[in-house]
């Protein structure tokens, strides 16, 4: 298939546009849909930078203090107190003309001498854990409900969509606070699972919409004629075709999940002491803003970095999956073509 | 249409009913009014527990208690409803709500209005300058705002916005470097916004930088921040700028009748400035609203008098300009009490706590200014986040519309760019936004929970958090019934507005 794609593009208006189309076609020649999407994503500079930064944050948070029983390379932990390195517990991290000095406590120490770097890293681990739990659970529920109601329509659809409406009615932070108070109590895993139970609504609506249109397509009829069961049609044939919407929405969901978790922990209904999350750290230290502002800066900075990275990755994925998205070829390529 | 409406209302009511049930069970599970008594070491512990159990009906199953609560709610139909009572404060929930709703409403309405106006404006500008540095910066900024936790921003605003500005007021002069820096940034923003060829960019940059520097120098050297005012001259100049701006956007400068009616309105406004100063000391909210109505009526008459083939255009332009000038005059009068208010507040006018200064016995203007200084921080922190979503939505929506065939037709007819953008594209781009606004209001309502807590407002959000922390179920339910109703109605209104605005959507009755 050199110049005759399966779906004929609208007639190009002028020579430039024809040339652009030709270059575009040549670039995707012989590639599967997945490969095209992956290539587009890799080309998205913002998303790639964000992915790299996020990976770095995850690596830093996990290797430095270790996960669970496994020790990391950082000498302090988040519980023990230490004599202050610099008076006032100021951060020892310094970026100057003579290079970067890390020192004993790069992010500083809190009022009782605990190492803030270890605490922030621990909080980052916890917040990421809650974020992933919310993302996985909400995506699973959302896909299941959306697929069922889009595929079967009728009564199942009415029931599930009214259920979705009902959950949407409750402002997320409100139900989050109540659930957090009921189940959280310092347990990050339970908190993540509880919040996952109320954040699936957007996903189920989107998947339902996709399934409603997909079930009218020929390949579904073909599968049914071939004797495939309903479950097989739904999850083997239709779901891969809705994967774009699902992946994009999962990332966006995770970005809002981390904000939700930190907000709840800030309000005191999420992760609470002695456990640590980034929001809980800010809650703990907000009164210290005037005297020890770094206690407030670092956790906030990490929340923003994580949320921003996930948002950018989501944006890159959306562009990559969007069939209408076209890359404008560079001037050099236009000349060559 | 009526059947559709009735059916949607009925289904919304059922959904709301079901969600109150679920929420009641959740709250019942999450709160334990007896908790503190169980841990207490008082001698009459048992008696107290028994008393509280009787008060809250704790020995009946929660499902039955829900129906008792529902019976109280249904009582509103014949005027003797109750939402239960808080056992901590011994107050009826309805009384608690009555005070709290107004406070929250003020916050939410102001934040929503400002977010829509600024967000849509910036989004449209960013769409019209697609793929320029300005567009990319706005996109990045909106992503950043999306990712900011409200509570973090709010604490920062408190620290820098309020305390920093109040400290600055002690000696309100802007240093030389600050002046140069701010002017250069302003110049860059304007030149990126106006765009065009290099020459035009340079000219815009120079003019904007010089103008900003001049304004800053004036403000700094005269101590304007200590005793701000606009005065008739500044009102006249700004008013004329508004008149031209509105005319350019609404009809184009070629429509002389519209331009003249706008300018006439400004002249009338400036002429009325002095007489109004004698009316303002007797101001009440109703008087201000009355004056606004008169303003609009005058504008309509002026626009009508200039006439022409399309009177509506002149009237519209004149009315928009009149509202702008009225706001200027109002702002001028509020600024006049700035000094008095500063003295009230120990020269620290920007407040960080509460919705109003308690025991402030000023006249209407001082009270108004007091409300504004309290509103400014929480509104800003609420605004930032919805601003980002409005920017994204309006940008996307305008770009979508600009690709439509009817825009090409409009261009092919030889219409000016202004007409194409403002008449054909902008109006249609607003349609999808109509569905987002109600949903955003619901989102802002829950955002208010956080903001109210940080800024110490005693609104609904604060009531919710206090009650939930204090294991007090009925105020939590009271909060939920209000926000839940708002959310359900908002969804309904969104559907209806969309169906009303977009003829392609049919409501199937």
């Amino acid at each position: 298939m050199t110049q005759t794609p399966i779906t004929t593009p609208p007639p190009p208006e002028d020579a430039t546009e024809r040339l652009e189309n030709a270059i575009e076609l040549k670039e995707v020649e012989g590639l599967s849909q997945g490969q095209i999407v992956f290539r587009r994503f890799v080309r998205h500079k913002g998303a790639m930078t964000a992915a790299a930064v996020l990976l770095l944050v995850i690596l830093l948070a996990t290797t430095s203090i270790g996960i669970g029983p496994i020790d990391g390379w950082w000498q302090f932990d988040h519980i023990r107190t230490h004599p202050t390195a610099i008076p006032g517990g100021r951060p020892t991290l310094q970026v100057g003309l003579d290079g970067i000095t890390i020192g004993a406590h790069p992010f500083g120490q809190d009022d009782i001498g605990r190492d803030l770097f270890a605490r922030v890293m621990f909080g980052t681990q916890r917040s990421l854990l809650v974020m992933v739990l919310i993302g996985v659970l909400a995506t699973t529920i959302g896909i299941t409900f959306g697929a069922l109601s889009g595929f079967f329509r009728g009564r199942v659809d009415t029931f599930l969509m009214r259920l979705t409406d009902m959950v949407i009615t409750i402002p997320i932070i409100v139900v989050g606070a109540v659930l957090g108070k009921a189940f959280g109590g310092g347990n990050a895993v339970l908190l993540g699972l509880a919040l996952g139970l109320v954040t699936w609504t957007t996903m189920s609506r989107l998947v339902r919409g996709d399934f409603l249109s997909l079930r009218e397509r020929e390949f579904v009829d073909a599968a049914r004629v071939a004797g495939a069961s309903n479950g097989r049609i739904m999850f083997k044939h239709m779901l891969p075709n809705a994967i774009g919407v699902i992946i994009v929405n999962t990332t966006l969901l995770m970005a809002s999940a981390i904000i939700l978790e930190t907000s709840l922990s800030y309000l005191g209904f999420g992760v609470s002491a002695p456990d640590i999350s980034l929001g809980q750290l800010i809650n703990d230290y907000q009164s210290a803003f005037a005297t020890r502002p770094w206690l407030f800066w670092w956790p906030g900075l990490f929340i923003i970095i994580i949320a921003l990275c996930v948002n950018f990755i989501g944006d890159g994925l959306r562009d990559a999956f969007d069939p209408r998205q076209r890359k404008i070829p560079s001037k050099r390529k236009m000349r060559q073509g | 249409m009526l059947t559709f409406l009735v059916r949607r209302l009925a289904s919304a009511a059922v959904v709301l009913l079901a969600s109150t049930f679920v929420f009641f069970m959740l709250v019942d599970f999450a709160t334990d009014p007896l908790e503190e008594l169980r841990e207490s070491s008082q001698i009459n512990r048992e008696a107290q527990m028994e008393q509280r159990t009787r008060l809250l009906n704790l020995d009946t199953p929660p499902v039955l208690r829900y129906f008792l609560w529902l019976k109280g709610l249904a009582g509103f139909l014949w005027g003797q409803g109750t939402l239960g009572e808080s056992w901590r404060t011994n107050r009826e929930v309805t009384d608690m709500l009555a005070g709290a709703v107004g406070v929250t409403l003020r916050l939410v309405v102001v934040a929503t209005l400002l977010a829509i106006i600024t967000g849509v404006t910036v989004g449209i500008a960013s769409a019209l300058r697609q793929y320029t540095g300005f567009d990319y910066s706005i996109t990045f900024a909106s992503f950043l705002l999306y990712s900011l936790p409200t509570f973090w921003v709010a604490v920062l605003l408190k620290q820098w916005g309020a305390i920093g500005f109040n400290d600055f007021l002690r000696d309100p002069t802007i240093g030389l470097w600050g002046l140069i820096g701010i002017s250069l940034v302003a110049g860059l923003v304007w030149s990126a916004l106006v765009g065009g060829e290099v020459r035009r960019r340079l000219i815009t940059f120079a003019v904007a930088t010089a103008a900003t520097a001049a304004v800053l120098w004036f403000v700094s050297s005269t101590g304007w921040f200590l005793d701000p005012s606009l005065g008739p001259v500044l009102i006249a100049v700004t008013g004329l700028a508004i008149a031209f701006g509105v005319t350019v956007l609404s009809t184009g400068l070629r429509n002389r009748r519209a331009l003249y009616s706008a300018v006439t309105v400004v002249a009338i406004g400036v002429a009325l400035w002095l007489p109004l100063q004698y009316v303002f000391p007797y101001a009440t909210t109703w008087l201000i609203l009355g004056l606004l109505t008169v303003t609009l009526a005058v504008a309509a008459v002026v626009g009508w008098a200039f006439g022409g083939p399309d009177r509506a255009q002149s009237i519209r332009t004149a009315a928009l300009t009149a509202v702008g000038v009225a706001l200027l005059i109002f702002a001028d009068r509020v600024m006049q009490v700035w000094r008095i208010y500063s003295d009230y507040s120990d020269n620290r006018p920007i407040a960080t706590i509460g919705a109003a200064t308690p025991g402030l016995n000023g006249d209407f203007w001082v009270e108004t200014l007091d409300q504004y200084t309290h509103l400014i921080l929480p509104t800003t922190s609420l605004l930032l986040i919805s601003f980002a979503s409005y920017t994204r939505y309006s940008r996307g929506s305008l770009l979508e519309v600009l690709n439509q065939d009817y825009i090409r037709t409009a261009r092919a007819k030889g219409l000016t760019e202004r007409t194409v953008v403002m008449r054909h594209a902008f109006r249609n781009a607003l349609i999808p936004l109509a569905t987002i606004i109600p949903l955003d209001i619901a989102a802002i309502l829950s955002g208010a929970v956080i903001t109210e807590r940080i800024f110490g407002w005693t609104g609904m959000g604060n009531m919710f958090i206090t009650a939930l922390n204090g294991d007090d179920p009925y105020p939590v339910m009271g909060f939920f019934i209000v926000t839940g109703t708002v959310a359900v109605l908002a969804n309904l209104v969104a559907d209806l507005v969309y169906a009303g605005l977009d003829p392609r959507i049919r409501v199937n009755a």
Side-chain angles (χ1 to χ4, degrees), chain A residues 24 31 54 132 152 210 216 234 311 315:
Chain A
E24 172 111 3
L31 292 177
L54 187 63
V132 171
F152 288 111
D210 253 25
E216 309 294 336
M234 272 198 290
N311 265 326
D315 191 50

Side-chain angles (χ1 to χ4, degrees), chain A:
Chain A
M1 46 170 274
T2 43
Q3 286 296 321
T4 48
I6 301 159
T7 51
T8 40
E13 279 167 19
D14 50 34
T16 336
E17 201 158 322
R18 212 175 305 143
L19 188 57
E20 278 179 12
N21 282 341
I23 292 175
E24 172 111 3
L25 271 178
K26 197 158 187 198
E27 276 189 4
V28 297
E29 208 173 70
L31 292 177
S32 71
Q33 185 64 30
Q35 283 167 320
I36 295 174
V37 168
F38 182 73
R39 279 203 173 186
R40 284 211 195 119
F41 180 70
V42 171
R43 258 195 328 229
H44 198 290
K45 286 193 199 91
M48 282 315 281
T49 320
V53 172
L54 187 63
L55 198 67
L56 217 65
V57 167
I58 294 174
L59 276 180
L60 187 68
T62 46
T63 60
S64 61
I65 55 162
I67 315 172
I70 311 163
D71 280 339
W73 45 262
W74 188 244
Q75 48 187 327
F76 304 112
D77 65 17
H78 60 279
I79 303 165
R80 273 177 298 164
T81 57
H82 309 280
T84 42
I86 300 185
R90 265 196 301 275
T92 54
L93 181 72
Q94 270 166 356
V95 182
L97 291 172
D98 47 340
I100 301 170
T101 42
I102 291 184
H105 301 285
F107 289 5
Q109 286 167 287
D110 66 3
D111 42 350
I112 54 172
R114 287 176 296 197
D115 179 48
L116 189 67
F117 178 75
R119 286 177 77 73
V120 169
M121 289 303 116
F122 197 82
T124 308
Q125 280 187 19
R126 274 282 181 269
S127 292
L128 283 172
L129 173 74
V130 176
M131 177 181 100
V132 171
L133 278 176
I134 295 179
V136 169
L137 188 63
T139 307
T140 319
I141 301 180
I143 290 177
T144 318
F145 282 11
L148 287 176
S149 69
F151 186 79
F152 288 111
R153 301 192 295 192
R155 283 204 185 146
V156 180
D157 183 30
T158 315
F159 173 73
L160 286 176
M161 282 304 114
R162 287 295 88 79
L163 188 71
T164 316
D165 281 352
M166 200 190 85
V167 177
I168 290 178
T169 317
I170 314 176
I172 194 79
I173 195 118
V174 172
V175 70
V178 175
L179 282 174
K181 186 172 161 66
F183 297 104
N187 192 331
V189 177
L190 270 182
L191 177 75
L193 292 180
L195 291 181
L197 285 177
V198 288
T199 40
W200 47 267
T201 47
T202 323
M203 177 68 86
S204 84
R205 283 188 159 184
L206 288 174
V207 173
R208 171 180 176 267
D210 253 25
F211 265 56
L212 277 178
S213 73
L214 281 175
R215 76 189 298 280
E216 309 294 336
R217 298 270 286 272
E218 288 86 352
F219 69 87
V220 174
D221 290 340
R224 186 166 295 129
V225 170
S229 65
N230 279 340
R232 192 178 165 81
I233 294 179
M234 272 198 290
F235 293 106
K236 280 273 174 185
H237 293 264
M238 289 163 79
L239 195 61
N241 281 290
I243 203 75
V245 171
I246 293 172
I247 290 185
V248 169
N249 193 52
T250 306
T251 31
L252 298 181
L253 176 78
M254 289 221 224
S256 57
I258 192 153
I259 301 285
L260 175 66
E261 181 270 324
T262 46
S263 307
L264 285 181
S265 303
Y266 172 78
L267 288 177
F269 297 118
V271 175
S272 52
D275 206 349
I276 296 174
S277 93
L278 292 175
Q280 187 266 334
L281 282 178
I282 293 183
N283 182 20
D284 244 20
Y285 293 142
Q286 63 170 334
S287 53
F289 191 92
T291 49
R292 292 164 186 253
W294 56 90
L295 295 181
F296 179 84
W297 284 120
W298 291 110
L301 188 68
F302 271 76
I303 298 176
I304 295 172
I305 290 178
I306 296 172
L308 196 59
C309 285
V310 179
N311 265 326
F312 263 111
I313 294 174
D315 191 50
L317 284 171
R318 182 168 31 206
D319 284 355
F321 276 110
D322 188 357
R324 287 176 303 177
Q325 196 83 55
R326 290 167 22 129
K327 187 180 172 237
I328 301 161
S330 64
K331 281 197 182 121
R332 190 164 54 88
K333 278 201 178 142
M334 287 293 273
R335 265 203 307 277
Q336 277 174 2

Side-chain angles (χ1 to χ4, degrees), chain B residues 95-166:
Chain B
D95 295 343
M96 293 168 79
L97 274 177
V101 169
V103 173
T104 304
L105 209 61
R106 200 189 310 157
L107 189 61
V108 170
V109 168
V110 175
T112 314
L113 281 181
L114 286 176
I116 294 171
I117 295 172
T118 53
V120 171
T121 315
V122 172
I124 298 287
S126 157
L128 291 178
R129 305 264 171 275
Q130 198 190 6
Y131 301 140
T132 59
F134 179 76
D135 185 31
Y136 286 127
S137 326
I138 292 295
T139 305
F140 182 78
S142 59
F143 269 110
L144 189 67
L145 290 180
Y146 260 140
S147 314
L148 285 181
T150 325
F151 53 95
W152 200 73
V153 180
V155 177
L156 277 194
L157 278 176
K158 229 170 160 172
Q159 195 64 27
W160 286 351
I163 299 177
F165 185 73
N166 285 338

Side-chain angles (χ1 to χ4, degrees), chain B residues 14-186:
Chain B
V14 171
V15 164
L16 190 61
L17 206 63
S19 69
T20 52
F21 178 74
V22 173
F23 199 71
F24 191 92
M25 293 301 132
L26 268 179
V27 172
D28 183 72
F29 183 70
T31 58
D32 180 10
L34 297 178
E35 191 183 2
E36 48 167 25
L37 286 179
R38 278 201 200 97
E39 290 155 6
S40 90
S41 53
Q42 287 170 340
I43 314 161
N44 60 349
R45 197 176 74 145
E46 296 298 322
Q48 277 192 359
M49 279 172 87
E50 197 180 322
Q51 189 208 357
R52 194 166 298 165
T53 310
R54 234 181 308 123
L55 180 75
L56 293 170
N57 270 330
L58 288 181
D59 42 4
T60 40
V63 180
L64 281 181
R65 247 181 296 139
Y66 169 73
F67 283 106
L68 285 177
W69 178 81
L70 200 62
K71 195 179 133 204
L73 182 68
F76 283 106
L77 291 178
W78 51 87
Q80 43 188 337
T82 170
L83 287 172
E85 196 177 81
S86 155
W87 63 265
R88 284 218 181 247
T89 56
N90 287 327
R91 285 177 65 197
E92 279 280 327
V93 173
T94 32
D95 295 343
M96 293 168 79
L97 274 177
V101 169
V103 173
T104 304
L105 209 61
R106 200 189 310 157
L107 189 61
V108 170
V109 168
V110 175
T112 314
L113 281 181
L114 286 176
I116 294 171
I117 295 172
T118 53
V120 171
T121 315
V122 172
I124 298 287
S126 157
L128 291 178
R129 305 264 171 275
Q130 198 190 6
Y131 301 140
T132 59
F134 179 76
D135 185 31
Y136 286 127
S137 326
I138 292 295
T139 305
F140 182 78
S142 59
F143 269 110
L144 189 67
L145 290 180
Y146 260 140
S147 314
L148 285 181
T150 325
F151 53 95
W152 200 73
V153 180
V155 177
L156 277 194
L157 278 176
K158 229 170 160 172
Q159 195 64 27
W160 286 351
I163 299 177
F165 185 73
N166 285 338
D167 284 346
F168 166 75
L169 281 187
R170 253 188 261 148
D171 177 26
T173 47
I174 303 166
L176 182 64
W177 290 113
L179 193 139
I180 293 175
I182 298 174
S183 311
L184 284 179
V185 170

